[in-house]
Amino acid sequence: IYNAAPAWGVTVGDALAVPDPLLTQHQHQHQGQTFSFLGIRVSSPLSLVVNGRRPPGSALAPPRLALSNPSAPP
C-alpha cells in the first residue's frame, strides 16, 4: 500500500474496503515478454476501511522532501 507507514499494514484474513478506487490497466514489456496486470489506487491509506475501521493517522507515511541540483558543483 503506497504511502503507508512501515509499521502499518494489512494481513492475510483482514477485510479491506476500498472506497472510490481508481482501477488502472498496466502493460509492460521486458526482454520480449509482456506483463499485464490491474492496479488499484486510492488517495491515501487513511481512506481505506480495514476490518470495519479506518486506519489511525499513524498509518500514513511521513512526507519526504528530496532535492537535487545537477548544475551545483560537488
Side-chain angles (χ1 to χ4, degrees):
I1 298 175
Y2 293 109
N3 296 325
W8 182 84
V10 295
T11 58
V12 174
D14 283 346
L16 182 66
V18 183
D20 300 321
L22 175 62
L23 185 65
T24 307
Q25 174 76 39
H26 297 271
Q27 283 193 322
H28 301 280
Q29 292 184 356
H30 180 69
Q31 296 181 348
Q33 292 185 318
T34 299
F35 300 91
S36 179
F37 58 93
L38 294 174
I40 299 174
R41 290 195 69 118
V42 293
S43 59
S44 164
L46 300 180
S47 68
L48 300 173
V49 178
V50 182
N51 297 326
R53 295 186 172 153
R54 296 267 185 195
S58 60
L60 186 61
R64 294 186 329 181
L65 177 62
L67 301 174
S68 66
N69 185 353
S71 62

